[in-house]
């Protein structure tokens, strides 16, 4: 339901005005030029660039509060933000909860939509990457509890996140974790697939999405939260697929290829391809965690989205009521200053023996330009595998999962050798996952 081009600009501004009834003036905000930001928001430094556009720090002169303004390129939405999007933004403004980042304001300026959020000191990715931070089981429990609380509130209102990953889990000065970017994927469409950001989002994607499901639900966020749980335990991203096919391969290597009895609807999904059977190793062989933690993790990683635990049920799991109780947010360890840990990798970062954090630096993630070679759904990436509808058979004599990244195009060099993943060799599985793709990020 795109807004009609003829009335778009004025209508958009009138609608956006309605998002912020406190702001004076009518539909002529763009005429005021730069002042529209300065009228209320004193622009400070650039904080970074994400999937939807740049984010800068600003001072809200009305309240004295420091805020983060996300400037959303309307790009393909040149005809304006559609009415559905406006309704959704309004809904997000009403979504107030201690574990959801507050959308304070929304307004158009110079053809961009500006979303004003409360300013947050750091994010969970920075915490996970900071080698100076020791995360106790109680700390991990606390971060997971806050993540699930935020999710449960949104799911209760039928809002999905769809882009859960550690850098979207922002942390305030008092240690509260808040879900950021909520609902943006639904409002503005899936993040621009040409940006490398998407590559990392894949690591958190649920199997039903990788198989092309169009009718997915809150389970996709719970799966992603499971990946974040795993990442907190391992201190590195858990399932780092290099393509959608490879992502599914890694999921199946970790949890076993799903049997029809586990997920009957799987075969009907649009991009379903058959994988060679791999048995499930025990979770205990992959994670060092309590029985309660592993039980919850396995419920969050349940294949059938209908059988997967909900965010609310997860909060009621005994993991959260058993000892040790979650650390109170103020006492949680955090990096000293935003970005510090990211700019100064400790020497053990490259050591083979140390737990490796394999995602690229934030800088690279923000500004790396289009690399379409990364993208495509499972169907497309299956290539000849799709023709036979049997990935395990079609990927070579050893049955290796198809690798679809053009490393030469990306980095001008061959990728480092990669381990194969659909071997059923349990004893080596954990090591294989550990070794997995440091595919040239440091190039
Ligand atoms: N509310 C906020 N307070 C402080 N910094 C923020 C806030 N929101 C975003 N940022 C910072 O702005 C930068 C860009 O954020 P943005 O959310 O647009 O993208 P991202 O999270 O880096 O990547 P992606 O778009 O893939 O999620 C990041 O450094 C992020 O930490």
């Amino acid at each position: 339901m795109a807004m009609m081009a003829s009335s778009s600009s004025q209508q958009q501004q009138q609608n956006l005005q309605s998002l912020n009834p406190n702001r004076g003036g009518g539909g002529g905000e763009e005429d005021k030029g730069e002042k529209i930001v300065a009228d209320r928001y004193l622009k400070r430094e650039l904080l970074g660039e994400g999937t939807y556009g740049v984010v800068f720090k600003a001072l809200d002169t009305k309240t004295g509060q420091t805020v983060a303004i996300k400037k959303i390129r309307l790009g393909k939405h040149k005809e304006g933000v559609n009415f559905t999007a406006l309704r959704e933004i309004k809904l997000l403004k009403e979504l107030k909860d201690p574990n959801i980042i507050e959308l304070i304001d929304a307004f158009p300026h110079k053809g961009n939509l500006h979303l004003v959020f409360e300013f947050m000191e750091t994010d969970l990715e920075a915490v996970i990457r900071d080698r100076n931070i020791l995360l106790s089981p109680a700390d991990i429990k606390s971060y997971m509890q806050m993540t699930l609380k935020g999710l449960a509130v949104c799911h209760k209102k039928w809002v999905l996140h769809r882009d859960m990953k550690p850098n979207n889990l922002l942390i305030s000065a008092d240690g509260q974790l808040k879900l950021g970017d909520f609902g943006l994927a639904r409002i503005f469409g899936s993040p621009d697939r040409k940006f490398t950001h998407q590559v990392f989002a894949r690591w958190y994607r649920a199997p039903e999405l990788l198989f092309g499901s169009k009718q997915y639900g809150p389970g996709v966020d719970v799966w992603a939260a499971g990946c974040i749980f795993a990442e907190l335990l391992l201190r590195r991203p858990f399932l780092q697929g290099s393509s959608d096919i490879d992502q599914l391969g890694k999921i199946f290597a970790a949890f076993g290829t799903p049997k029809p009895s586990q997920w009957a609807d799987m075969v009907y999904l649009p991009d379903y391809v058959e994988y060679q059977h791999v048995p499930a190793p025990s979770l205990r062989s992959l994670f060092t965690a309590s029985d309660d933690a592993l039980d919850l993790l396995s419920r969050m990683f349940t294949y059938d989205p209908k059988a997967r635990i909900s965010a609310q049920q997860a909060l009621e799991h005994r993991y959260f009521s058993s000892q040790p109780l979650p650390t109170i947010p103020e006492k949680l360890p955090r990096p000293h200053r935003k970005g510090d840990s990211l700019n100064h990798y400790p020497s053990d970062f490259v050591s083979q023996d140390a737990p490796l954090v394999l995602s690229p630096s934030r800088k690279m993630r923000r500004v790396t330009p289009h690399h379409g070679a990364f993208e495509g759904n499972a169907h497309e990436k299956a290539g000849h595998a799709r023709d036979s509808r049997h990935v395990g058979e079609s990927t070579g004599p050893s049955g290796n999962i198809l690798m679809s990244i053009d490393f030469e195009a990306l980095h001008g060099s061959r990728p480092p050798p990669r381990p194969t993943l659909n071997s059923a060799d349990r004893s080596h599985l954990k090591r294989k996952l550990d070794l997995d793709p440091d595919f040239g990020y440091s190039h």
Side-chain angles (χ1 to χ4, degrees):
M1 189 171 89
M3 184 187 279
M4 283 176 294
S6 55
S7 62
S8 65
S9 180
Q10 270 198 332
Q11 192 71 60
Q12 178 186 335
Q13 297 209 359
Q14 274 170 14
N15 281 286
L16 286 165
Q17 186 69 37
S18 76
L19 292 170
N20 181 12
N22 297 330
R23 180 177 288 119
E29 291 179 20
E30 290 210 277
D31 297 336
K32 293 186 195 169
E34 197 58 29
K35 279 186 185 163
I36 189 65
V37 175
D39 260 358
R40 175 166 171 180
Y41 301 105
L42 236 139
K43 220 166 152 176
R44 296 263 159 86
E45 75 266 22
L46 187 74
L47 290 169
E49 183 176 2
T51 311
Y52 298 103
V54 295
V55 181
F56 54 88
K57 194 172 177 177
L59 178 73
D60 183 349
T61 56
K62 190 171 155 195
T63 61
Q65 189 185 357
T66 302
V67 293
I69 303 186
K70 192 168 277 199
K71 195 168 130 187
I72 302 203
R73 290 180 293 257
L74 290 178
K76 60 185 171 182
H77 305 271
K78 279 200 177 70
E79 76 284 12
V81 187
N82 67 39
F83 289 111
T84 313
L86 292 171
R87 241 197 335 265
E88 300 252 1
I89 292 169
K90 203 161 183 172
L91 184 79
L92 290 188
K93 277 189 81 181
E94 284 155 16
L95 212 59
K96 290 205 164 85
D97 183 83
N99 297 115
I100 297 169
I101 188 151
E102 189 187 348
L103 175 60
I104 298 167
D105 196 5
F107 60 91
H109 181 57
K110 290 187 175 171
N112 294 313
L113 177 64
H114 290 60
L115 300 180
V116 183
F117 294 99
E118 54 182 317
F119 179 81
M120 304 290 279
E121 194 185 85
T122 187
D123 61 57
L124 195 63
E125 185 187 0
V127 171
I128 292 171
R129 279 167 165 270
D130 192 331
R131 288 280 159 254
N132 297 315
I133 290 178
L134 190 86
L135 287 177
S136 71
D139 299 339
I140 292 173
K141 202 175 278 193
S142 180
Y143 281 127
M144 278 315 294
Q145 191 178 45
M146 292 189 280
T147 303
L148 288 165
K149 274 185 181 173
L151 267 189
V153 168
C154 293
H155 290 173
K156 220 171 274 171
K157 303 204 171 180
W158 298 103
V159 179
L160 303 189
H161 192 291
R162 299 206 317 189
D163 196 23
M164 292 273 294
K165 48 192 174 177
N167 65 321
N168 277 340
L169 303 181
L170 299 155
I171 298 172
S172 67
D174 59 2
Q176 281 289 342
L177 178 148
K178 298 176 190 239
L179 273 51
D181 277 358
F182 226 104
L184 293 192
R186 174 152 152 203
I187 299 174
F188 300 106
S190 282
D192 191 340
R193 297 193 139 241
K194 289 181 188 144
F195 277 90
T196 25
H197 300 261
Q198 262 315 85
V199 178
F200 313 106
R202 177 187 296 118
W203 297 341
Y204 306 91
R205 215 174 287 160
E208 63 268 28
L209 289 178
L210 294 161
F211 275 142
S213 171
K214 305 277 182 293
Q215 284 156 348
Y216 52 86
V220 300
D221 290 337
V222 172
W223 180 277
C227 295
I228 292 166
F229 194 0
E231 191 164 332
L232 281 162
L233 293 167
L234 297 171
R235 299 296 292 267
R236 61 167 173 76
F238 176 39
L239 301 164
Q240 305 176 41
S242 56
S243 66
D244 286 1
I245 283 284
D246 185 46
Q247 187 67 34
L248 280 163
K250 291 208 165 52
I251 291 171
F252 298 159
F255 304 118
T257 317
K259 301 185 194 82
S261 58
Q262 282 174 289
W263 188 9
D265 297 338
M266 170 178 66
V267 293
Y268 303 114
L269 293 174
D271 299 330
Y272 171 71
V273 281
E274 198 178 330
Y275 277 71
Q276 196 178 48
H277 181 73
V278 184
S282 74
L283 271 189
R284 187 156 294 294
S285 68
L286 300 176
F287 300 98
T288 307
S290 68
D291 288 348
D292 288 343
L294 294 181
D295 186 77
L296 176 57
L297 203 58
S298 70
R299 290 171 196 273
M300 295 175 86
F301 282 130
T302 298
Y303 279 130
D304 187 346
K306 290 205 288 287
R308 198 173 297 152
I309 197 167
S310 72
Q312 184 54 46
Q313 288 165 341
L315 283 168
E316 290 156 18
H317 190 277
R318 63 178 183 276
Y319 167 67
F320 290 110
S321 50
S322 62
Q323 292 292 334
L325 292 178
T327 308
I328 56 167
E330 301 81 52
K331 296 222 161 131
L332 283 168
R334 299 195 300 284
H336 287 307
R337 255 186 321 120
K338 191 174 174 131
D340 269 3
S341 62
L342 306 174
N343 297 330
H344 307 289
Y345 290 123
S347 53
D348 73 355
F349 183 76
V350 289
S351 151
Q352 282 293 345
D353 299 330
L356 292 178
V357 178
L358 295 168
S359 59
S361 74
R362 282 189 153 261
K363 255 188 199 145
M364 285 192 68
R365 295 179 58 161
R366 299 250 146 65
V367 296
T368 313
H370 305 177
H371 289 307
F374 271 116
E375 282 311 324
N377 58 25
H379 209 127
E380 291 157 1
K381 291 299 173 197
H384 62 285
R386 179 186 43 184
D387 298 332
S388 73
R389 313 295 290 166
H390 198 302
V391 169
E393 277 176 4
S394 58
T395 47
S398 60
N400 297 343
I401 298 293
L402 194 72
M403 297 293 166
S404 61
I405 290 181
D406 181 352
F407 286 96
E408 272 181 317
L410 278 173
H411 304 297
S413 61
R414 285 247 146 242
R418 296 168 60 89
T420 59
L421 268 174
N422 57 352
S423 152
D425 186 349
R426 284 167 183 235
S427 63
H428 291 294
L429 181 62
K430 191 175 177 187
R431 186 171 56 81
K432 283 176 181 172
L433 289 169
D434 283 344
L435 284 173
D436 205 7
D438 50 342
F439 43 79
Y441 284 134
S442 55
H443 292 201

